[in-house]
Amino acid sequence: MPMAAVDGTGHTVRYVNRAFCLLLGKPEEELLGKAFSSVVPVGDEFLSLLGRVYRGEGPETHTGPEHMASDSFYWSCAMWPVVAADGRPVGIMIQVTETTPFHRQSTAMNQALMLGSVHQHELTELSEALNEQLQTEILERQHAEDELRQANDDLSQFSYAASHDLQEPLRMITNYSQLLIRGYRGRLDDDASLYVDFITKGTRQMRDLLTDLLAFAAAGARGLEPAERVDLNLIVQTALYRLTSAIEESGATVTTDVLPTVLGHDTVFVQLFQNLIGNAIKYRAECAPRIYISAQKMDTDWRFAVTDNGIGIAPEYHQKIFGVFKRLHGKSIPGTGIGLAICQRVVERYAGRIWVESEAGRGATFYFTLPAASEEKP
Amino acid sequence: MSSETVTQRFRILLVEDNPGDVYLFEQALKSAGLDFELTVIEDGAEALAFARRQGKYAEAAVPDLAVLDANLPKNEGVEVLQAIRQSEHLSSIPVAIMSSSVTPSDQEKANELRVERYIAKPLDLDQYLLIGETLKQVLRERAARQ
């Protein structure tokens, strides 16, 4: 531990130990008898401290990096007075303690701590940025959902209003065409009769379209009634009842698995099954229609299939047929082209899917999914 | 009041803004063989005045039957119905509502307001003409109660 002793007001170096010489890199001879400040680069602060100690104002310590060999050298300096027997200070003992290793360590610790906190800060910033991004995405998605819901409601309302308001002028056309025919029976030539005939057919077609458009509106409408448990066996029975004459005329046989209970609303489910079974009958081949309804549990959904042996649908039309007013056939097979659009709307109202597997001339299977009701019976 | 209703001349009020429907209505009453005197009010505000016996309707004769179009602009059909039910003179007359379409909620509302019949205006002419029979039935029921 480097030590030196100085005396007098000039703080003349009277004693240095070997460590002190090594510290300064100077031999003993160069140091002894010289003023402390001339051999050791110390600043005014240091000197004033020395002065204080010499005057008996107590021991002092001084720390600093700037006085010694290189700026990576840190030291702490303790000074205390050497006094004579009578208490008069005669000199000062100076002991230098190198604190570089401690300083290095503490610097290293400090740096490590700083780095740690920087990393911490970076991680926090990163997770905050991610959070913000997630929040934005959630908001955007909610916004999109709201917009979709609104668009759906708007479409339902529009469909309803359009078909409702169109009914009145349609009635006028229909009824007065009929009045015309009756009122002028026998007085109308063949041409006039033909014209009225076409008018009447047009009005019937229009009525069917409006009816289906209303059903389409109702299918997607988010009613205020909550979804309830619906026994699909009863639903199919109702649909079949409504198709009685079509079934009889075509000689169709409909077989069905035992169907589950699902969550939804009975009116739109009847529409769904009625349209699918009705289509299977309508688009039949030469032979009597054979239709099979099945159900399979998948996870939280049920997957239903309505299979027929009819004329089938070529793959390139599998998407198109679900469009509103989209038909693949002309007048030969009646229909408004809205039936499957209604089915899709019903199914999608319950977050299900509907699709078809079919080839031309090989029958068709329409699949759709609906959410299962929970297992506990009320 | 005699229970012989077939030859009785009925006073019927029709509130309807579509002339096409007015003519059809008359044809329906005729085809049912009813002897009737038809008062037509085409305007909802006028119909309210009639129900409240205001202005020129202060001394108007009380009809045997009121038939209201549900599809008047501004929902006036329901207003007129309420005015009739609240009126001293008219509250007991039978009221039938004619509408372009009938939904279950419409039916419920009509039941609450004591409507005799809630009739959907049909697309088919023959169906429309049958309304005459329906209204003849309503008038008979009322006459029988008196």
Side-chain angles (χ1 to χ4, degrees):
Chain A
M1 189 165 306
M3 286 181 70
V6 300
D7 72 359
T9 51
H11 312 304
T12 313
V13 179
R14 292 299 174 203
Y15 165 78
V16 288
N17 69 0
R18 190 171 155 73
F20 197 86
C21 298
L22 282 172
L23 176 63
L24 291 182
K26 292 180 180 167
E28 196 182 36
E29 308 84 67
E30 279 190 39
L31 299 172
L32 289 175
K34 305 269 172 43
F36 188 81
S37 55
S38 68
V39 294
V40 181
V42 293
D44 291 337
E45 200 190 330
F46 190 91
L47 288 173
S48 80
L49 284 178
L50 278 178
R52 284 168 55 85
V53 174
Y54 189 70
R55 287 192 296 276
E57 286 165 27
E60 292 284 352
T61 53
H62 185 75
T63 58
E66 68 269 32
H67 296 284
M68 293 304 185
S70 71
D71 57 3
S72 64
F73 179 74
Y74 295 88
W75 54 268
S76 174
C77 199
M79 314 158 222
W80 65 94
V82 177
V83 293
D86 58 5
R88 263 187 318 116
V90 291
I92 305 173
M93 280 303 290
I94 301 172
Q95 181 180 299
V96 182
T97 314
E98 187 178 0
T99 57
T100 309
F102 301 125
H103 188 89
R104 275 208 197 107
Q105 266 177 19
S106 94
T107 305
M109 275 195 320
N110 262 355
Q111 277 184 355
L113 275 172
M114 267 195 59
L115 261 171
S117 92
V118 164
H119 279 155
Q120 184 85 346
H121 186 68
E122 278 174 7
L123 280 173
T124 308
E125 273 190 357
L126 189 62
S127 88
E128 272 173 19
L130 276 175
N131 237 6
E132 260 187 58
Q133 204 171 325
L134 266 173
Q135 294 294 342
T136 310
E137 270 179 35
I138 290 176
L139 276 174
E140 279 174 6
R141 192 160 302 178
Q142 274 173 357
H143 190 63
E145 272 179 27
D146 286 342
E147 282 193 340
L148 186 62
R149 200 172 300 136
Q150 185 65 40
N152 228 9
D153 285 344
D154 286 347
L155 182 61
S156 278
Q157 278 182 32
F158 173 77
S159 306
Y160 177 80
S163 44
H164 191 269
D165 291 346
L166 286 168
Q167 281 186 23
E168 189 139 305
L170 182 63
R171 274 191 314 104
M172 292 293 102
I173 297 169
T174 314
N175 289 348
Y176 279 92
S177 311
Q178 287 167 317
L179 272 175
L180 195 62
I181 299 181
R182 289 180 205 193
Y184 291 87
R185 200 185 304 269
R187 284 186 280 164
L188 284 177
D189 63 8
D190 288 345
D191 283 348
S193 296
L194 184 69
Y195 302 160
V196 178
D197 212 32
F198 279 126
I199 292 174
T200 310
K201 284 209 171 82
T203 60
R204 297 234 168 85
Q205 171 76 351
M206 184 107 182
R207 178 199 53 197
D208 291 343
L209 279 168
L210 286 179
T211 308
D212 280 357
L213 206 55
L214 272 173
F216 178 80
R222 302 185 138 262
L224 296 172
E225 315 95 44
E228 48 186 19
R229 301 170 64 91
V230 178
D231 180 349
L232 288 178
N233 298 295
L234 298 175
I235 297 295
V236 169
Q237 290 311 310
T238 310
L240 290 176
Y241 175 72
R242 295 202 185 157
L243 291 166
T244 307
S245 53
I247 292 174
E248 275 172 12
E249 273 170 31
S250 61
T253 15
V254 182
T255 45
T256 145
D257 282 353
V258 173
L259 300 176
T261 295
V262 295
L263 288 172
H265 300 82
D266 47 10
T267 42
V268 295
F269 285 158
V270 172
Q271 188 89 73
L272 171 63
F273 277 99
Q274 191 177 337
N275 284 357
L276 290 175
I277 301 171
N279 277 355
I281 296 173
K282 215 163 37 168
Y283 297 98
R284 59 182 177 276
E286 295 291 323
C287 52
R290 270 199 322 278
I291 301 160
Y292 173 50
I293 305 173
S294 59
Q296 196 179 340
K297 186 87 190 296
M298 339 263 291
D299 257 353
T300 53
D301 286 344
W302 279 92
R303 192 188 70 183
F304 301 89
V306 178
T307 307
D308 69 58
N309 60 345
I311 57 179
I313 310 159
E316 60 256 37
Y317 301 120
H318 287 189
Q319 294 278 38
K320 184 180 172 210
I321 53 178
F322 290 100
V324 181
F325 294 134
K326 286 289 181 267
R327 304 197 65 233
L328 300 178
H329 303 273
K331 299 267 185 293
S332 53
I333 304 183
T336 57
I338 306 185
L340 283 176
I342 292 176
C343 292
Q344 186 174 49
R345 218 151 143 73
V346 171
V347 163
E348 284 177 359
R349 177 179 175 173
Y350 303 106
R353 289 192 311 127
I354 182 167
W355 69 100
V356 64
E357 280 176 21
S358 173
E359 279 170 55
R362 312 271 292 265
T365 301
F366 280 82
Y367 293 98
F368 63 94
T369 59
L370 287 173
S374 59
E375 290 310 319
E376 331 108 42
K377 297 267 178 201
Chain B
M1 186 80 143
S2 134
S3 59
E4 251 298 303
T5 58
V6 182
T7 53
Q8 178 188 353
R9 174 165 260 233
F10 292 103
R11 273 192 294 272
I12 299 178
L13 170 70
L14 175 66
V15 180
E16 169 62 67
D17 62 340
N18 179 359
D21 274 325
V22 172
Y23 183 85
L24 283 169
F25 186 75
E26 277 177 321
Q27 299 309 306
L29 292 178
K30 281 181 187 159
S31 86
L34 276 170
D35 186 10
F36 62 92
E37 184 187 305
L38 183 66
T39 305
V40 179
I41 300 182
E42 289 180 1
D43 179 72
E46 289 280 311
L48 279 173
F50 182 98
R52 294 167 185 159
R53 297 177 80 70
Q54 290 165 346
K56 65 186 188 225
Y57 300 113
E59 304 293 323
V62 175
D64 299 300
L65 168 69
V67 180
L68 311 178
D69 175 20
N71 305 106
L72 290 174
K74 303 187 237 166
N75 245 354
E76 285 154 343
V78 176
E79 277 186 64
V80 172
L81 175 57
Q82 283 169 338
I84 289 176
R85 285 289 170 247
Q86 282 160 7
S87 135
E88 221 184 287
H89 291 87
L90 306 177
S91 61
S92 63
I93 67 174
V95 178
I97 301 251
M98 305 252 304
S99 173
S100 293
S101 61
V102 181
T103 64
S105 64
D106 291 337
Q107 291 273 20
E108 272 180 44
K109 208 183 299 175
N111 286 339
E112 284 169 30
L113 291 164
R114 287 189 301 120
V115 169
E116 289 295 333
R117 296 289 193 276
Y118 202 101
I119 303 166
K121 293 181 189 174
L123 206 55
D124 184 74
L125 182 63
D126 287 329
Q127 298 285 329
Y128 200 113
L129 296 176
L130 281 177
I131 292 175
E133 294 295 331
T134 306
L135 295 178
K136 186 161 76 174
Q137 185 63 26
V138 171
L139 286 163
R140 278 205 178 120
E141 285 167 9
R142 183 181 189 238
R145 281 199 297 269
Q146 286 177 327

